[in-house]
Amino acid sequence: MKKIDIFNHIWPKPFFDRLIGYIGTMTDVTMRSGAVPMMTDLDRRFQVMDMFGEDYQQVLSLASPPLEKLAGAERALDLGQIGNDSMAELCQKYPERFPAFIATAPMENEEWMMKETRRCIEDLGASAIQIFTNYSGKPLDLPQFEPFFEYMAKSGKPVFLHPSRGANFPDYLTEDRSEYEIFWTFGWPYETSAAMARLVFSRVFDKYKGLKVVTHHAGGMVPFFEGRVGAGWDQMGKRTSDRDLSVVLKALERPHLEYFKEFYADTASFGSTKAIEHAIEFFGEDRVVFASDAPFDPEGGPMYIRETIKVLDNMNISDATRQKIYEGNAKKLLGLK
């Protein structure tokens, strides 16, 4: 069966060259990305892809962090346009390798946000838009982001939710930075889960019917903590005395756990069988899609692809379920032929 890797990352050469021109020396997360040949070298990407046969395909998306974090709000639109144009061109040139791409829009300027989102969906043919769990520390349920969610719900195209948190987010209030890269290992799954909760409880899914959101890394923490998310949050307000949170659940049209189960999740869990099993159990076999998070493994590309395929091939699921995860769900979600 075909294997459509729905969430992996690239910095196309025109994008990378412009980024270098803007920021010069790479640091922290950008240093990691810039040092991986598969991120910027198309020949190396093809070599890695060929390791997994002609049925392996990639849906392209830009790597984190948010464009605004990379080069500031003023340059975010320029970087987004270059990155999106480049990915669209790669899909046109190599359709058998790259059947679709996920665009990225600058989100901190509402005019630019909507302009680039519409251009990517309506003109470039993007299959989805990637956003991040916060923008300069601002949550996604602020009014400034509502036009985006409204448009995406009407378009029928999914939103891909990528975590974003840096070392400047400390683990303890008495410190000024996160130690040992805890911000990434545990912070990113928390970021995903927190963003999911904010979207649910702010009634974004009630307001914008049909909105589809794909969570990176198997749904963050949510599948593992179904009991806390479900029965635990049934008691919302019992732990808070300075405001009445009981009205939050009453305002929702349905039980809150139903909303959480309607997110989609990918299999990018760095080779963790249990993470993927939990994702399938929680979201259901129709809402889990194959993804590797390549090329951010110790081998610079092949390891996460190889290990994720190994997990799925050895998992105790039916071939019909396996086919859905490898390709069927992605085709439906992205509108691929």
Side-chain angles (χ1 to χ4, degrees):
M1 60 188 71
K2 196 177 293 294
K3 297 176 176 66
I4 304 175
D5 190 339
I6 201 170
F7 221 156
N8 62 93
H9 303 294
I10 190 172
W11 275 353
K13 191 174 185 307
F15 174 89
F16 184 63
D17 290 344
R18 183 62 60 90
L19 179 61
I20 290 290
Y22 279 150
I23 70 174
T25 304
M26 297 287 181
T27 58
D28 299 329
V29 174
T30 57
M31 178 180 66
R32 176 196 66 163
S33 297
V36 180
M38 185 177 160
M39 276 286 291
T40 57
D41 186 335
L42 200 59
D43 288 338
R44 176 55 183 162
R45 180 171 292 265
F46 289 161
Q47 289 173 0
V48 171
M49 293 179 69
D50 288 343
M51 296 178 188
F52 304 99
E54 61 183 14
D55 287 331
Y56 174 74
Q57 297 179 318
Q58 291 187 339
V59 176
L60 300 175
S61 59
L62 297 179
S64 66
L67 299 171
E68 291 85 346
K69 177 75 172 176
L70 281 172
E74 291 298 320
R75 295 168 172 172
L77 179 60
D78 181 48
L79 282 173
Q81 290 173 335
I82 293 172
N84 295 329
D85 288 344
S86 298
M87 289 189 292
E89 184 178 337
L90 287 171
C91 290
Q92 292 171 358
K93 192 172 182 179
Y94 306 103
E96 294 304 313
R97 291 190 182 270
F98 310 128
F101 77 99
I102 304 164
T104 299
M107 298 291 286
E108 291 197 47
N109 179 296
E110 186 175 323
E111 179 184 351
W112 297 347
M113 172 181 73
M114 296 312 303
K115 176 182 177 182
E116 184 62 5
T117 296
R118 290 191 183 96
R119 187 182 79 92
C120 289
I121 297 296
E122 298 170 17
D123 298 338
L124 295 185
S127 293
I129 302 290
Q130 175 180 242
I131 64 171
F132 292 84
T133 50
N134 75 84
Y135 287 89
S136 300
K138 293 180 290 189
L140 294 176
D141 59 352
L142 292 180
Q144 71 185 78
F145 299 120
E146 290 206 15
F148 170 80
F149 291 120
E150 180 180 19
Y151 174 84
M152 293 303 293
K154 289 179 178 177
S155 75
K157 303 292 185 181
V159 175
F160 277 57
L161 183 62
H162 194 292
S164 177
R165 180 185 284 216
N168 64 330
F169 199 117
D171 311 306
Y172 295 92
L173 292 175
T174 57
E175 300 177 341
D176 60 7
R177 62 172 292 129
S178 175
E179 298 293 344
Y180 315 117
E181 298 183 350
I182 292 171
F183 75 89
W184 179 87
T185 305
F186 297 127
W188 279 23
Y190 173 80
E191 275 282 332
T192 299
S193 308
M196 293 165 71
R198 294 293 289 257
L199 293 176
V200 168
F201 294 123
S202 64
R203 302 187 62 246
V204 166
F205 294 102
D206 284 343
K207 296 178 205 173
Y208 310 117
K209 309 292 187 184
L211 179 66
K212 304 181 187 75
V213 180
V214 183
T215 60
H216 208 8
H217 306 136
M221 299 160 56
V222 170
F224 294 91
F225 296 105
E226 180 176 1
R228 297 179 77 91
V229 173
W233 251 328
D234 279 337
Q235 305 173 70
M236 183 184 290
K238 299 289 181 65
R239 313 164 190 89
T240 304
S241 59
D242 64 341
R243 50 185 168 147
D244 183 9
L245 290 180
S246 65
V247 299
V248 174
L249 296 182
K250 294 175 184 176
L252 294 174
E253 295 179 3
R254 295 177 285 138
H256 67 275
L257 190 59
E258 290 186 15
Y259 296 89
F260 282 94
K261 287 181 174 289
E262 289 180 1
F263 285 91
Y264 291 77
D266 69 24
T267 63
S269 56
F270 318 114
S272 171
T273 299
K274 287 300 180 183
I276 298 174
E277 286 177 348
H278 282 312
I280 296 173
E281 290 168 1
F282 184 82
F283 298 106
E285 63 182 41
D286 294 323
R287 292 179 177 271
V288 177
V289 287
F290 169 58
S292 67
D293 207 17
F296 297 123
D297 59 69
E299 298 174 9
M303 179 181 171
Y304 287 164
I305 304 172
R306 182 180 66 245
E307 294 305 308
T308 305
I309 290 174
K310 184 186 298 183
V311 167
L312 289 171
D313 284 353
N314 292 317
M315 191 172 283
N316 186 25
I317 54 177
S318 69
D319 285 341
T321 297
R322 191 173 288 109
Q323 190 274 339
K324 285 182 180 180
I325 294 170
Y326 270 138
E327 62 170 321
N329 293 339
K331 287 180 176 178
K332 289 181 180 179
L333 188 62
L334 300 180
L336 304 179
K337 296 180 179 179

